Amino acid sequence: MFPSRLAAPVVALLAPLLLYGGALVSQYGFGLHPCEMCYWQRWPHQAAILLALLALLLRRNDRAMRIFTLLAAVAIAISGAIGVFHAGVEYGFWEGITTCATGAGGPVTLDSIMNAPLIRCDTAQWTLFGISLAGFNAIFSAGAAALVLTLLRRKTTSAA
């Protein structure tokens, strides 16, 4: 087990790792190609992973660890907010602010451009109980950010 003071940074690391990992599995394992807004949701998770790793590396400096954990929680929450926006676009609550596209990996050739799937941001590729992947990211990211902040606050109030 690990000391309770490490609970917040560990959660701040594991939550985006699982969410980002799930996105990669859905893309490469199940062929659900991401749209542009899907990529937007991944960037804060990548940042949160790095910030949480820094927090854990700096665990001997309690103040630095808490700051980097807080920043990781903010990054997770930002991904959740983007997920809310993306889900709203999918459900038709509002219009998106982007053209829908998918990123090409590797060298770009005319053939790769012509064969690249066009992924619409306003259409959910997969749902469970009416909730899209963007919706699930919003729910799980908001919950994870709240949990990290609660764990950080618990440490502060227990020390007082």
Side-chain angles (χ1 to χ4, degrees), residues 143-160:
L147 177 59
V148 170
L149 293 173
T150 299
L151 291 169
L152 277 174
R153 182 165 163 68
R154 181 177 295 163
K155 173 72 171 101
T156 302
T157 57
S158 66

Side-chain angles (χ1 to χ4, degrees), residues 5 13 22 28 124:
R5 68 185 277 284
L13 175 64
Y28 294 107

Side-chain angles (χ1 to χ4, degrees), residues 69-96:
T69 302
L70 175 63
L71 291 173
V74 169
I76 296 167
I78 288 170
S79 180
I82 297 168
V84 168
F85 180 76
H86 188 187
V89 171
E90 290 174 335
Y91 298 131
F93 297 155
W94 45 75
E95 277 191 44

Side-chain angles (χ1 to χ4, degrees), residues 42-57:
R42 293 177 183 193
W43 298 334
H45 283 312
Q46 294 166 351
I49 291 166
L50 293 175
L51 291 163
L53 281 172
L54 278 171
L56 289 168
L57 288 172

Side-chain angles (χ1 to χ4, degrees), residues 95-154:
E95 277 191 44
I97 57 172
T98 180
T99 58
C100 296
T102 185
V108 178
T109 64
L110 181 58
D111 189 48
S112 69
I113 293 170
M114 297 304 291
N115 292 321
L118 176 63
I119 307 302
R120 295 178 51 98
C121 297
D122 61 352
T123 304
Q125 294 185 62
W126 180 88
T127 62
L128 178 65
F129 307 120
I131 302 172
S132 68
L133 289 173
F136 278 112
N137 179 58
I139 293 165
F140 292 133
S141 292
L147 177 59
V148 170
L149 293 173
T150 299
L151 291 169
L152 277 174
R153 182 165 163 68
R154 181 177 295 163

